[in-house]
Every structure is written in C-alpha cells, then in structure tokens.
Amino acid sequence: MSKDKTSKEPKLKSMEEPLVKFKNVQKSYDGEILVVKDFNLDVAPGEFVTMLGPSGSGKTTCLMMLAGFEPTTNGTIYLKGKPINNVPPHKRGIGMVFQNYALFPHMTVAENLSFPLEVRKMGKTEREAKVNRALDMVQLGEFGQRRPMQLSGGQQQRVAVARSLVFDPDLVLMDEPLGALDKNLREQMQYEIKHLHESLGLTVVYVTHDQTEALTMSNRIAVFNDGVVLQCSSPEDLYEKPENSFVANFIGENNRLMGTVEAIKGNIATVKTDSGDVVVATKVNVGKVGDRATLSLRPERIIVAPKKGKTPNTYSAKVEELIYHGDHIRTRFSVCGHDDFIVKIPNSIDNVDLKKGKQVDIGWMSEDCLALDG
Amino acid sequence: MKNVITKTLVAGAISTAMLAGAVQAEVTLVSWGGGYSASQQKAYVDTYSSGDVNMISYNGGLGEVRAQVESGSVQWDIVDVLASDARIGCDEGLFEELDRSMFLPSPDGVSMDDDTMVPVPNDCVVPQIWWSYVPFHKADTFSGDQPSTMQDFFDVEKFPGKRGIHTWASAITEMALYADGVAIDDIYDVLSTQAGQDRAFAKLDTIKDHVVFWSSGAKPLDLINSGEVSMSLAYNGRIGGAVLNDGADYVTVWDGQVLEEEWLVLLKGAPNRAAAMHFLVHASSSQAQADQAKWINYGPMRTSGLDIMQAGEPWFNTGVTIMEHMPNTDEHMAGGILANPEWWADNGQAVNDRYAAWMAQ
Amino acid sequence: MSDTSITNSQELLLTNDGVPLKVSLRKSLRRTKIRSFLLILPPLLFLLLMFVTPIGSLLSRSVDDIAINKVFPQTFAQYELWEDKSQLPSEEMFAAVVNDIRVTIKVKDDEGIDIGKNLLGRSGTRMTYEYSGWKSLISKTIKSALKVDKKSKEEVKPFIWEAPFKDKMIKRDKRWAKVEFWQSLGAMKDPYTMGYYLNAVDLKFDANKNIIQKEEYLKIYNTIWIRTLQVSLMVTIFCLLLAYPVAYLLATLPMKTSNLLMICVLMPFWTSLLVRIVAWMIMLQQNGVVNDTLMYILPCFEGMVNLPFFGATNIDLCFSDEDRLPMMYNFTGTIIVMTQVLLPFMILPIYSVMKGIPPSYMKAAQNLGATPTRAFIRVYMPQSVPGIGAGCILVFIVAIGYYITPELVGGKDGIMIGNFVAREMQRTLNWGLAAAMGAILLAAVLVLYWAYDRLIGLDNLKMG
C-alpha cells in the first residue's frame, strides 16, 4: 500500500534510481510467524528515511536484513540496482551505527576509526588523514588516543557515527543510536546527525521508536506495525495527513471519535458519532456508507467558543480538567460522548476564561477532522 | 565458695574427659592396606576381645607420623613401619619406648626380644613380619626357558618385555649388584663405595628403557595382568595373596629377593596409649604371629611363631601348605638378601636422590 | 550565613554540644572504622590462620637450622677455628663433639622427660642430608659416650671416655678419620641456612661455605624444575587450544544446547580424580583401548610393491605389537591426563568472559568490512584475552604444583616437582628441602603474576 504512495512522494526524485530497494521482502525466524510481512521501500540517494514503529514491529529486522546480518526469507533487497541477498555483510560497504555503539573497547578511538580503512588495505598516511578528518567532523579531534570507555556517552555516540562514515559508505544505517542518551543530549545529537546528513549528502536509514526523533530528522518516515508498513511519507504528511487511524494515533497527540459513515460527498464524509452527533470530516480512509469510521482531531486544531457559523462542526462541551503547561493550557472536555477530549488552548490574554465544570462550545473545521478506518 | 566452684568445675572437666576417653578408646592401627591389612584384621583384631581396634591404611613413610607428633595432635596409636623408619622414628622420639617385660614369652618361655629372627634394634619396636621384594611373572608369559634368577630379571634380551620396578632405591640397588655378580654378603660393602654405587646404577641402566615404575603395592599386579610389563617386582604377599586366594597363575622367582623387617610401633603421645599397649601384647604373641600367616604369606618375625606354623601345616586358611610361599624358608633364603636398615638410614637420602636422578634422566 | 563560617574558620569549630568538630568527626568515623574492622575480622583471622601462618612456617622451615646448632654449639664454634680443612681437625674439635653429646644427652623437656637422645637422633637425620653415614656414626658414638649395662639397664658409668678423645673416637669408628664428615659440618654451622634452597637447584656448600655444583650423578632437581615448567606450559597450551572453541560454543549456542554442553564440561568435577586417571590408564596403556583400536583399524600390509620412481620395494606397513604407542607411564601420559583434568579450569573463565562480549562487536567489525575470520581475530579474540589470561594462569598454577596425576601416570619421565615435595615430606623426612621447593614454587607463581601484570595487566584478568 505504501508503494503507490511513495511514488507520489515529492522528496523522491523519481527519475533517479533508488539507492536501496526492498522488494516484497518477508522475514520469518521460526517458519510460523512472519515478522516482516511484505516490505517494499525505495530509498533515494541523499535521503534520510526513518523506520518508526513500536518494539517488535519488524523495523530493526528490516535494518538487519539490509546490513546483511539476517537473511531474507523471501523477496529481494537491491543496493544500487543490484540484488544483495547473497552478499555477505563485509562486502556490502554499508556504514552502521549500533544501538550500543559497538565501539571496540580494546582499541583507541583512532584505531576504531582506522579499522574499516585497514581492512580495506588503505595506506597509513591516507588512513591517518581520513581518521583525523572524521574525528574533526564530530568535534573529537583531541580524543583519538583515548579508549572508548574513557569517553562520555555523547562522545562515544559521535565516535560511532564517525566510524560509520570514515570509509565513505554509500549508505549509513542507524539502529536507535540515541536510545542510551539523556533527553538534552539526545536532542543535541539529533541536530548534529541531521546536519551531518545535510552537509555530507548522506543516505541514511534510521530506526527508532521515538516519533519526535523521527519527525525531527527524517525526509521520510515509514511507520511500522506488526510487520507491515502502514504509511511512508514526509513528517508533515504523516502528521497532517495520516492515512489510517494507527498512524494518526502513533504520530503526535490525537483525539478519536468513533462513528458510522452517514454520507460521502466528494472528499467530505459525514459521520454520525456513537453519541449521535453528526460530524463533517475530510474523507481519507473510509469505506462506503454504513462502515465504521474513526474521526481524528489534533488537539491544537480545536477552536474554543468559535464564532457562530465559522466552524461546520460545533458542539457543546463541558470542561472536565485544566492542566497548566505554561505556553498552553491543556484542557480536557467531555464532548460527543467522549470524556477525554483534549484541547490545547494557547496561553494568551484574549482567551476565554475556562473553569472546571463550565459548559462551553467547541468546534473545528472539516479539513482538520480526518475520517479514517474504524 | 570460690574453691567449691573450682572443685566442681575440675570434677566436671575430669569426668567429661573420662567419658571422652571411654568413647575414644578405639585403638587406631595404621597399616598398608590390601591383603596385608586383612591378615592383621583377622589374626590380631578379630581375635582381640579386650577392646575395639580400627584399622586404617597409609602409604608408608614417617611424614604423617612426624607431623602428628610435632604438632601435638596425635590421631594414630599403632603404626606398621618399615625397618629403616622403625630406627629413624625411635631415634627421633616419634615412638614410645616400650616396657619389654610386658610382652609375652614364647610357649617355651623365651622372652620376646630373644625370640626374634634378627636382634631387636631398639625398645620402640614390636615384632611383626618378614616380607620381601621379589620378581614375578605370569606362568604363560614366556615359552621355553623360564626366568629363574635375578640375572634373568635384568636380561631383557633373553626374556623380552618391560619390567615393573618401584620408584625408590631400596632393594632394587641391592638386586642390581646381585644380578651383576656381587656375592650376597658383600652387597652393602660394595654399595658403600662410590664405585659400587656406580656399578649398581650401570646395571640399572641396562633395563632403563624397559622400565615401568610403580609406587603402590597393588600396581604391579595390574601391570602384569594388563600385559604392560612381562615381569615385575612386587611385595611377595601381594603375589601370594593372588595365588593362594584367587588362584592366579603367577610364578615367583625367589632368587635375589630382598627381605625386609616390618615392625609395629606405638606413637609418642598416642591418644589410647594403655589400650594400644594391651593390644600390642596380644598382636605380638607367638600364636597371633603364626595366625597371621593363615591369611597371607608373610613370615612371622618371632621364631616361635614360625615353629607353630610349621607344626600346624597345612596352615593356610584354604587348607594348603604355606611354607613354600614364605620368603624365609631355607630354600628361598639361599638367594635372599637381608636388607640392611642401618645402611639405608645412613645412605637413604643420597642413594634415593641418585635413583630419582636416574629415573628422571 | 557564609559570613559567620568565614569568621569562625579561624577559631576552633565546635558542634552544637560544644565538642570540637574534629574530635566529634573522628569519634564518629572511629565507630564506623571499628565496626567495619569487626566485620572483616573473622575472614581476616581465617586468612591469617589458614594462609599466612602456613606460608610463614613454610618459609621459616626452608631456612631453619636452629635445632642442630643448639645440639652442637661447641663443635660449630671449633669449626670456625679449624684452619686447614683438608686435614683432620685438632683434638679440640673431637672433644667439642663429645662435650656437645654429653650436654645434649641430659636435656629434659618442660615436663622433665629426657629428650636428649631424641635431639641427637634428629641431628643424625639432619646430618645425613649433608653426608651419608652421619646417622649411624652419631648413634654409635652416643652409645660409647653413654654406656648402659645390658641387664640392669642402669648407667654403669656416665662416660667411659676421658680426654684426649681423637684416637678413641677413631678407634671406635674409623669414619671419624674421614675428613669429608668434618667438612660436611660447614653447611650446617649457621642457624639459618640457604642450604635447602641450594639443594633444590642442584647446588651445595663446600667446607668453606662456598656454593658449588653437586656431583653430576646427584643432580636431579634442575631437570625436574625444567620438566615441571615444560609440563605446565604444554598442559596450559593444550588446554587453551581445546578450551577456546568449546568456550566459544558454550557462549554462542542457544541456552538449551549450551546448558547440555556445560554439564559435559562440568562432569569431570563430579567424578573422582582417581577414577578419571584409572579410566585414562585403561584407555592409553600398552594393551589399552586406543592401542587395540589402532591395531584393529590400521591396515596390515607387508610385501613387495612396484612403486613408480622407486621400483620394486619391500613395504612393511604393519601396526604390530611392537608399534603400540607408549602413551602411559611417561611424559605423554602426564600431559594427556593433566590436560583433561585441568580443562574445566580453562573453559570456565574463558566462557564467562566470552559470555560478556556482545554479539554486536562481531557484527560491527563485519559491517566495517572485515571478513568473519578477520573480525574474530581482530575484535573478538582481543576481548576474550582477560578470560584467556585467567584460564592460563589458573591452569598453569594448578599444574605447576600437581602431584597425584604424575605420581600415577608419570612413570619415569613424567614426574614433576610436586612428587619430590611429597617424597621429601613422606619418605626422606627432609622437610627443609620440601619447604624450600614449596617456597620456590610460590615464588614462581608470584613471578608469573608479576609478569602477567607487566605484559597484560592484572585488571585484564577475569576469573569469572
């Protein structure tokens, strides 16, 4: 399903040959359960693609198949147009940053970086130049003679990135590389990796279960669940135009109203919620009239006390809870039979004064309300 | 008041000690294991009605004895020791000097110390047995000519196959000289000279490449049975035990046997001194000495014991005559070498070092 | 707040109770110190009792020659005055021997029991280590110096000898006229001696206490030391070669299979050492399983064959009785059996280190372009070094002091130093020599530790 979507993807220069191509890839460890069901993905040169999904969704398995550590059960992986199913890992020329960095503890930082060049039988002077350049690139020029254990987590992370880049691979894989870092450091590293990607024109396949990380860094994100890619598109599209309720739910915060399709007209779907309210929504992924549907609403797109007639959908809601968040006030309403309907109200002076228990109208535009699979 | 408490405490301590003593009154007799210990069990222990005797085994040497006596925690009472150890241990004060008048005279009224086949070396020892180092082989090992002399043991051309010998120097050096033509009476004189020792080791060199070493008494029989060696030295009782009890078809070559004394001693500071002494009197009686030969072919040290045996033939428990299996019959003694424990106490360290060096070369 | 602390810092700081802060701090720390000391006291005592004391007594015994110096003080004093040691000493020295015997014979212990005779007996044993014959010479001389009536067992006359003694003693035993006996006293004249150590490396003192080589035919220990190192080294190497793949399998196989394998590895620990050794005897002896199997499977071909290049050749390819391999009661037997016995000591530390090496290192190395073999050698093996080091040290240390296995299967050329320690302890009673050999073994182990620390680093040592 993602195949046809990716072809529409503007970031992919469709004229160019994809650097990586997964074609109908399946993977099973025990012959009974498919961990990866039917994986198709094209990665264009210079692209930063993230495989995002909850743990056990098959994203890391796909990465390992690409790196060559797991054989595909069925299907083909192409690198630069050539199938690599039977190419051993050390001949694939793919850089990789491991979850726990896998820096060789018995070698210095410089030796770690020099290792891939050494096995490629590069001369000593050339090796040293490349190692120094790579270390400077990650601002660790001074640390070449240290052992990995003598570095901080962030520094180790940078060494791991530098090592994966030092032999100029066509492709760099990163397997949850920031998982072990604390929040501040993680955000800092996200930008650094993103900058490296942009300045060096790297092609990166990145695996994470952290959606913020994925949104921050990627050109495209493939959302995995249960061995299947549910959507593969740019971060904006993923957030603004989720194609199904899982993606809508998984990416960002989301209010969900359940209901039945009443009518479909063009790209407008009319849905009657289970509480009997009728909602006009943008049709994204619903079947025919009478099918179940999930309405997805972003909390920051809800308008409190809209002017009459401004919003096609306006309902009376009761304030259940107010949580002060500084820049915004997180408000929980009960509306349309839902008592955990979240609205983010910007903290500005001209805003309505809300109190717990107060009855107030809330509304939203039909384009902000997506009718998805039920 | 204080006095009363002290007295009570002392009385308590004494009665506890006595109780402990009563419980502990099981005499410990340490011997070499195997058929030899079994014969002592049957002849001395089973016939002893005045107390319990517990037999345990050791592998010879005075190391353990000296450690017990020096540390002051003596566990053993009576130990069955080799001739040279009997002398060294008594000299060093590891053994008790015993009141000779307590021991029983022979049926003819001869005192024990005048009833032994060799003079009693000191007041620590109680007569035990005669035994010997002797070569043996299986009856079917050689076709044609059969080994009959000590020379044959050292002749690997004439009687091919490996030789089992022990890992210490005593007996084998005497045998080497004897096989090389030294008269029995001259052996220790020759061995006392540098040239004589060289001669013994030169003889040993002739079988060096054909030797398998053993250090425990049961091993020679394994070596012979498995075919690892064609002839081996062994303690004569081990061979006789297998022949007399199990019908093994071993042939003993008595020529050049080296006869050794064996004595019982009481450790200095033995935990059950009195009971052990009582048992020693029983075990050294002429009758007990003779009885032991019902179970193994080691000869009694007391002349009167040998007399009782000879008079009672067939003496062995299975109803066969035993004298022909004894090391100290006239016939077997003709080619027998009496080991000289004094000589070994003097020269043991040096000759054993040399022997070890020879082994390791 | 900060102002007050600055002004007060010049004065004595007091706690709320007015006690000086330092005193109070020391007091509270002392309490924790005492408590922690009390906590480690039992193991400390245990260590002292079970470890330091025996080693201390071992070391002191290896140099201790006090006993004989207490028995023959006058003799040794005269020895210092003896000038030409190639000639028999003067009458004074003969008299000193008699006097020393006469003084010693009267010595009683704390409970008033005569022990003089035993002190002399022990001295005789000690002197025999330096020169054969001393024991009987001393006891003969004692008997003359202290004549006892055979019947009454009473001393008829304390000393039948009056000075001068020289001729009387020589008349009693002509060995007193042998200068070698007198010369051998030189090695014993000091209460502390290096003599046992010299003996343990085939050296000895001459009459003037110069260190000289032992007689060629008495040299044995250097051979044995070298053999002991050889055996230990070979056993360590063979153990490593066998253990490494096994440990790797154990560390990488799935739990279920590796558990089964682990049981097989540990099985020897649950079996008596003697049983295992006897099993090897049955396997390896001349008529044992291995040789019988070789007899059975190897072809027996004899006869003329027309070979290319060689023409007609008589070929005898028979594995006959004479060809049976000697694998027991020799060096080979010791190596084989000890390798099997000590294998678990190598496997376990290597395994426990390998278990801690994440598989991602191998993946990373391959990902960086190294072939699996290269990745293993460059990345996996260096990380297993702490296990290899621990295993090697463990096996080597256990092997260097081994004695049961060589005793049973070593035969003539598979005997190790441990067997000689046992021999000196049990048979010849030369405990000083045994202690010296033990001390040298201990030193060897410490040197090994030191070398390991210098080469690899002790922090790179993981016992498990």
Side-chain angles (χ1 to χ4, degrees), chain B residues 35-36 129-136 166 175 214 217 220-221 232-245 250-254 257-262 293 295-300 316 322-329 332:
Chain B
Y36 178 51
I129 53 152
W130 279 104
W131 59 276
S132 71
Y133 291 99
V134 69
F136 78 110
H166 45 274
M175 288 173 175
W214 56 263
L221 278 70
S232 182
L233 296 181
Y235 306 139
N236 76 293
R238 295 277 184 175
I239 308 163
V243 172
L244 291 164
N245 293 318
Y250 298 144
V251 178
T252 305
V253 179
W254 292 101
Q257 66 162 326
V258 174
L259 284 115
E260 296 264 4
E261 312 158 10
E262 191 77 20
W295 310 98
I296 199 159
N297 55 331
Y298 288 139
F316 201 67
I322 184 70
M323 274 315 285
E324 67 225 50
H325 297 281
M326 286 292 174
N328 50 343
T329 62
H332 295 161

Side-chain angles (χ1 to χ4, degrees), chain A residues 157 186 258 280 325 355 374:
Chain A
Q157 218 286 324
R186 194 157 61 220
M258 309 301 292
V280 182
H325 266 249
K355 281 208 172 60

